[in-house]
Amino acid sequence: MLPWWDQPANPMSMHAEGRAAAAALDRARGQVAEACGFSREEVFFTSGATEANNWLLSKGKWAVTAVEHPSVLGRGAIRLPVDENGVAQPSMAPELEGFDGVSVMLANNETGVIQPVAEWSEWCRRKKLRFHVDASQGPGRIATKISADYLTLSAHKAGGPTGVGALLARRGIWPEALLVGGPQERNRRAGTHALPAIVGFGAVMEARGEGSPVARDALEARLLALGGKVAGGGASRLPNTCCVGFGGIDAQDLVVALDLEGIAVSAGSACASGSPEPSHVLKAMGFRGSAVRFSLGPENTVAEMVEVARVVERVVGRLR
Ligand code: PLP
């Protein structure tokens, strides 16, 4: 990213600097496309996943699962139910007569629960419905080559910069223009490209493979031994996420107590933390009580998780 801050060039310019910027933009577009099994001209850069989700879902009638991120949930005409593990199964869906499409996230941002998107893709194909996947939580953790008409990505969820993401749309079913102005993004999303951020997004999509659950599992085993209940514990989950509740202990109290110990956890999603409302995700899966989410980075070690579990034991004992 650094060279593009030092030399702020516009990829739409004809001069040599502009052409170099255009080449960097094209490379990033290719890196994003390749990581997800789309082609370059199917990548539309946005300011993030919130924008991509709103862009696509603001047109047409969409069914969305009850555990989606609010940027999807707020655009859905109906909420598809999930089971006690937070998994939305096509067999649980009603007839979607008169609908244009279905939106199912790849993995949940609070629980890490992975949805059966391959089955949904096939189900939507049979029902002649468009299929969108909010894959924001996938890169760097699980495979992101997904059979879908549309895909949403967010760079910062994969360890890239904030303020950049993408809507991927198969050729022939591109969305109408979101912003009019310049010809950027095939006349659909005008405005000068945020090149340093886009270059970082491309790099992180290429560099990151899939994650390992070893450190998370070491933490989770210890939290279970302390009487913790893992939300979505019976489902396939992202390798880095553990959403756990301790009966009788309020999640907000635990967040504050752990913060004082230098351990940063969230109650629910980061966007909704601070709100006293219970998480819509936990509510939809019938999870009793509140829960905190431990999100590990690829650099976290088993030794660190053993230490974290020791601190949690002390704090939970005190709160109890
Ligand atoms: N969708 C999911 C599943 C997320 O986890 C997030 C994260 O905040 C978003 C959408 C919104 O992403 P962004 O911050 O890029 O707008």
Side-chain angles (χ1 to χ4, degrees):
M1 295 169 70
L2 287 173
W4 301 107
W5 266 310
D6 291 344
Q7 188 193 334
N10 187 338
M12 307 304 282
S13 299
M14 296 296 288
H15 47 59
E17 288 81 359
R19 292 198 306 277
L25 176 67
D26 190 53
R27 174 155 187 249
R29 199 182 295 287
Q31 287 165 320
V32 171
E34 165 61 29
C36 300
F38 280 67
S39 60
R40 274 163 207 253
E41 69 276 12
E42 295 173 331
V43 175
F44 295 86
F45 287 117
T46 64
S47 66
T50 297
E51 181 185 315
N53 288 339
N54 274 274
W55 182 5
L56 180 69
L57 301 173
S58 60
K59 291 273 157 51
K61 192 172 175 188
W62 290 84
V64 309
T65 82
V67 294
E68 295 298 313
H69 185 269
S71 57
V72 169
L73 209 56
R75 295 291 186 185
I78 189 179
R79 292 185 185 189
L80 302 170
V82 296
D83 64 18
E84 73 280 4
N85 276 307
V87 179
Q89 303 285 359
S91 59
M92 296 160 67
E95 278 304 316
L96 294 175
E97 199 76 35
F99 277 76
D100 297 302
V102 175
S103 181
V104 179
M105 68 201 324
L106 176 57
N108 186 265
N109 46 306
E110 293 185 32
T111 60
V113 168
I114 297 170
Q115 299 293 349
V117 290
E119 289 165 38
W120 276 106
S121 173
E122 177 55 25
W123 190 84
C124 288
R125 203 186 52 75
R126 272 191 279 115
K127 303 251 174 198
K128 299 195 167 25
L129 292 163
R130 296 268 162 88
F131 183 46
H132 167 246
V133 175
D134 177 353
S136 302
Q137 290 287 331
R141 298 167 191 167
I142 55 172
T144 49
K145 284 204 167 115
I146 294 160
S147 162
D149 297 314
Y150 302 101
L151 208 74
T152 286
L153 295 169
S154 172
H156 71 100
K157 296 284 136 188
T162 49
V164 64
L167 176 65
L168 278 53
R170 300 283 179 198
R171 206 192 310 241
I173 52 166
W174 291 350
E176 284 171 25
L178 174 71
L179 300 174
V180 293
Q184 290 91 352
E185 301 304 287
R186 278 131 284 142
N187 291 307
R188 281 169 170 77
R189 207 277 186 179
T192 304
H193 292 102
L195 194 60
I198 289 172
V199 165
F201 181 20
V204 84
M205 291 297 289
E206 184 178 279
R208 287 283 170 88
E210 295 179 31
S212 156
V214 172
R216 189 276 313 271
D217 288 350
L219 172 66
E220 195 161 290
R222 286 163 177 79
L223 299 182
L224 287 169
L226 297 176
K229 185 163 172 263
V230 173
S236 305
R237 284 176 295 138
L238 295 174
N240 76 316
T241 310
C242 173
C243 181
V244 62
F246 294 92
I249 296 179
D250 183 70
Q252 299 287 354
D253 293 342
L254 196 50
V255 170
V256 172
L258 288 175
D259 185 42
L260 291 172
E261 304 277 352
I263 296 171
V265 300
S266 297
S269 63
C271 358
S273 342
S275 104
E277 285 295 306
S279 143
H280 72 279
V281 174
L282 297 182
K283 226 158 66 178
M285 55 202 279
F287 188 88
R288 277 180 208 278
S290 54
V292 295
R293 173 171 51 91
F294 293 82
S295 297
L296 282 65
E299 65 284 354
N300 284 132
T301 63
V302 170
E304 285 172 336
M305 293 307 110
V306 171
E307 178 56 23
V308 166
R310 265 198 218 112
V311 175
V312 174
E313 180 172 17
R314 185 155 31 86
V315 167
V316 164
R318 199 168 70 221
L319 291 172
R320 269 183 183 144

